[in-house]
Amino acid sequence: MDTMTMEILKKIILSGHADWCVSLFMPTHRAGRKMEQDPIRFKNLLREVEERLVAKGLRSPEARAMLEAPRRLLLDTAFWQRQSDGLAMFFTKSQLDFFRLPYPFDELVVISRRFHVKPLLPFLTGDGRFYILALSQNGVRLLEGTRDAVDEINFETAPQSLSEAFLVEPSEKQLQFHTGTPSGAGMRRRAMFFGHDATKEEKNRITRWFSMIDKELSKLLEGGKSPLVLAGVEYLLSLYREANTCPHLVDKGIPGNPEELRPEELHSHAWTIVQPVFIQSRQKAAADYLKLAGTGQTATRVEEVIPAAIQGRVEILFVALGVQVWGRFDPNAYTVHVHDALEPGDEDLLDLAAIHSWLNRGVVYAVAPEDMPGGNHLAAIFRY
């Protein structure tokens, strides 16, 4: 499993178990000698999981049985040859989910009564990831990117070409692309479009195909707030915008024939487009928080923020990465108990606040402690 949809994440986040839930994170590598070390690193982490499960009271046979499914991956050569920059895995004795993501996680193992998803915050938050939809008549590519990396993700549910969309071979009347080579050795070929005299019927066919793509893409991105960047010749991008229903499609696209661009090149172009969007959004949210501080519409204490997040009252939340606040939330009394040190049954309350804010459609920014507005570990703006 690699497609991290809202529904899959909700299943993981909301999973409550009488048994122990294991959350495992580690960096991985796409190629080279370091890639050969990834299974060894994973094996060592599973050994740590077994030791900690036994320390929590499981008998050794029970702990080994719980690790059977993830240990089978050690023998799956193809699994380790298809890694990205980070691996996130969640499992119990009856469940196993994993994501290979373009994000270099630090090594971490958390065992508790629910899954720990704080390291995923860069993917869940307001400035964590973006998508690139590369369009040509011959193919469709969907890529998922972060600031540092990009991955091509499975998008086979959508028709992959205009001919596939209508189950016919392309006709001579259909829009054609031609790739010409500019003069000068070593210069990149540029795509030229020869179809501006296309008939209305041909345009309608392309728009209908794009509506099919949009429908499948909407399912994949449902509920998310990540920006979507289009790549393709301007004529196709213009037609796709007519079919688009994604609320986070950015105005600027990547012009030219995307078939000639590697994923890393598409990522570079897209990042220059989305970075200002991310920065502007975060800066505005921080300014709004500072403006509202002291009015009763903001809060910094977990005792206030967590109940508000669960009730759906948190509109914007800043949370510090790399910081833990240990304690427990009592759903019956609706109270939060904060502890100076980790106690049995505790969880990271910052994680809890962030997750419930996100589940209730709040915007969450996970930032370094020094970038927190107001200098606290939490900074929330309430809807009401």
Side-chain angles (χ1 to χ4, degrees):
M1 173 186 301
D2 284 309
T3 305
M4 194 169 63
T5 66
M6 290 279 287
E7 290 307 312
I8 292 173
L9 280 171
K10 284 181 180 180
K11 182 191 76 170
I12 291 172
I13 290 168
L14 297 176
S15 292
H17 296 273
D19 303 313
W20 293 111
C21 299
V22 178
S23 308
L24 183 153
F25 303 88
M26 60 175 277
T28 52
H29 303 85
R30 299 167 186 255
R33 298 190 64 179
K34 288 185 177 180
M35 184 179 71
E36 300 173 4
Q37 300 299 313
D38 291 342
I40 299 174
R41 187 193 299 265
F42 183 64
K43 183 177 181 180
N44 291 336
L45 288 175
L46 292 183
R47 184 181 300 115
E48 177 186 340
V49 170
E50 182 175 353
E51 293 171 355
R52 289 170 59 175
L53 286 172
V54 171
K56 289 181 177 293
L58 264 68
R59 294 184 298 110
S60 291
E62 293 175 320
R64 287 195 295 270
M66 187 170 169
L67 291 166
E68 281 184 5
R71 276 183 171 150
R72 279 197 292 269
L73 292 174
L74 287 169
L75 305 176
D76 189 343
T77 303
F79 174 81
W80 296 104
Q81 290 176 342
R82 295 195 304 267
Q83 289 300 314
S84 183
D85 300 287
L87 176 65
M89 183 172 292
F90 307 92
F91 64 92
T92 65
K93 66 180 182 181
S94 59
Q95 174 184 348
L96 172 65
D97 295 293
F98 60 81
F99 304 103
R100 290 170 285 202
L101 298 168
Y103 188 83
F105 297 113
D106 293 329
E107 280 192 16
L108 178 66
V109 170
V110 176
I111 304 174
S112 64
R113 295 301 183 183
R114 73 171 180 89
F115 290 119
H116 179 81
V117 297
K118 192 172 183 179
L120 291 180
L121 282 178
F123 282 87
L124 309 180
T125 57
D127 58 354
R129 61 176 169 171
F130 60 93
Y131 293 93
I132 305 167
L133 182 63
L135 299 164
S136 76
Q137 278 193 279
N138 298 321
V140 180
R141 297 154 67 195
L142 181 64
L143 300 96
E144 178 185 55
T146 64
R147 181 187 62 182
D148 303 310
V150 68
D151 266 347
E152 194 159 345
I153 62 178
N154 189 332
F155 194 43
E156 294 179 355
T157 54
Q160 296 298 295
S161 66
L162 183 60
S163 57
E164 180 183 323
F166 298 102
L167 299 177
V168 296
E169 291 299 321
S171 69
E172 293 182 0
K173 292 183 178 180
Q174 288 179 350
L175 304 177
Q176 298 294 322
F177 289 101
H178 174 71
T179 301
T181 304
S183 61
M187 294 186 68
R188 180 177 299 281
R189 299 198 304 172
R190 61 188 179 88
M192 297 163 47
F193 186 76
F194 295 97
H196 295 286
D197 59 344
T199 65
K200 182 177 181 180
E201 179 184 353
E202 290 165 342
K203 291 181 181 180
N204 286 339
R205 282 166 57 83
I206 294 175
T207 303
R208 285 161 56 200
W209 174 39
F210 285 167
S211 294
M212 298 176 195
I213 295 173
D214 175 74
K215 181 179 179 181
E216 295 303 317
L217 188 60
S218 297
K219 294 177 185 177
L220 187 65
L221 305 185
E222 182 181 6
K225 299 181 180 180
S226 301
L228 173 65
V229 180
L230 298 180
V233 296
E234 186 55 42
Y235 184 81
L236 289 185
L237 299 194
S238 176
L239 290 179
Y240 189 87
R241 292 181 190 282
E242 294 180 16
N244 173 70
T245 60
C246 173
H248 303 291
L249 176 65
V250 297
D251 293 334
K252 189 175 181 181
I254 303 171
N257 184 359
E259 294 180 20
E260 297 185 341
L261 297 177
R262 294 179 292 109
E264 294 77 15
E265 293 173 303
L266 287 168
H267 174 266
S268 177
H269 289 299
W271 180 246
T272 63
I273 294 171
V274 299
Q275 184 182 27
V277 177
F278 286 149
I279 293 174
Q280 182 179 11
S281 175
R282 188 170 67 247
Q283 287 178 340
K284 182 182 183 303
D288 289 345
Y289 170 81
L290 294 174
K291 182 179 179 180
L292 293 170
T295 66
Q297 201 174 336
T298 65
T300 60
R301 299 173 64 246
V302 292
E303 293 90 341
E304 296 178 72
V305 175
I306 288 177
I310 293 172
Q311 293 168 345
R313 293 174 50 217
V314 174
E315 181 177 8
I316 294 173
L317 181 73
F318 284 86
V319 60
L321 285 171
V323 179
Q324 288 79 39
V325 175
W326 300 111
R328 274 173 279 180
F329 172 69
D330 183 344
N332 296 317
Y334 239 67
T335 55
V336 177
H337 304 278
V338 181
H339 301 143
D340 294 332
L342 178 63
E343 297 182 8
D346 278 1
E347 59 184 321
D348 181 1
L349 296 175
L350 301 184
D351 178 62
L352 188 65
I355 291 307
H356 280 283
S357 297
W358 177 78
L359 286 172
N360 286 307
R361 307 300 187 188
V363 177
V364 181
Y365 295 99
V367 301
E370 60 269 22
D371 294 329
M372 288 290 297
N376 297 289
H377 298 326
L378 275 181
I381 298 178
F382 295 148
R383 291 188 172 103
Y384 55 90

